[in-house]
C-alpha cells in the first residue's frame, strides 16, 4: 500500500511524487493502492501526484486505485474531470469525512 502524507500541497508535491513512484516500482503484485486516509491538508497538487502515481503504475502493468480519498478531494477530481482515473480501492469506499478548508 502506498501511503500519502497528512499534508500534500504544492510544496510537498515533487518529493511525494518521487517517493510514491519509487514505492510503486518496488511494490510486489499487480495492483498499486494509494492510501489517502491520512490526508488532512491538500490542494490540487494532490491530484497531480495521484495521477502521476497512476501513470507509473499503469506503465508497469499494474492497476491503480485509491483508498479513503477525502470527499473534498474527490469533488475536486470530479470538477477537473479526472475522478474516473482515481477509482476507489476494492472493499474501500471513499471517505465520507469532510476536510477543513
Amino acid at each position: 500500500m502506498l501511503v500519502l502524507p497528512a499534508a500534500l500541497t504544492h510544496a510537498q508535491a515533487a518529493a511525494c511524487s518521487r517517493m510514491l513512484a519509487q514505492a510503486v516500482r518496488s511494490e510486489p503484485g499487480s495492483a498499486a493502492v494509494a492510501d489517502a486516509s491520512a490526508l488532512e491538508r491538500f490542494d490540487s497538487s494532490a491530484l497531480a501526484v495521484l495521477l502521476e502515481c497512476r501513470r507509473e503504475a499503469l506503465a508497469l502493468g499494474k492497476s491503480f486505485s485509491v483508498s479513503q480519498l477525502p470527499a473534498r478531494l474527490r469533488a475536486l477530481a470530479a470538477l477537473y474531470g479526472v475522478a474516473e482515473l482515481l477509482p476507489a480501492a476494492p472493499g474501500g469506499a471513499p471517505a465520507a469525512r469532510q476536510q477543513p478548508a
Side-chain angles (χ1 to χ4, degrees), residues 60-81:
L60 295 168
K62 298 180 181 191
S63 64
F64 179 77
S65 59
V66 182
S67 173
Q68 301 298 312
L69 190 65
R72 203 175 98 231
L73 192 54
R74 172 111 8 236
L76 191 60
L79 178 68
Y80 289 151

Side-chain angles (χ1 to χ4, degrees), residues 15-95:
C16 185
S17 187
R18 284 190 301 271
M19 175 197 69
L20 289 174
Q22 183 172 344
V24 168
R25 288 189 294 271
S26 64
E27 187 82 13
S30 61
V33 179
D35 177 4
S37 63
L39 271 180
E40 294 177 3
R41 192 168 52 89
F42 52 84
D43 59 20
S44 60
S45 298
L47 290 177
V49 168
L50 286 169
L51 292 170
E52 177 59 22
C53 189
R54 176 185 182 273
R55 187 201 64 74
E56 184 71 31
L58 295 179
L60 295 168
K62 298 180 181 191
S63 64
F64 179 77
S65 59
V66 182
S67 173
Q68 301 298 312
L69 190 65
R72 203 175 98 231
L73 192 54
R74 172 111 8 236
L76 191 60
L79 178 68
Y80 289 151
V82 297
E84 69 279 357
L85 300 176
L86 303 172

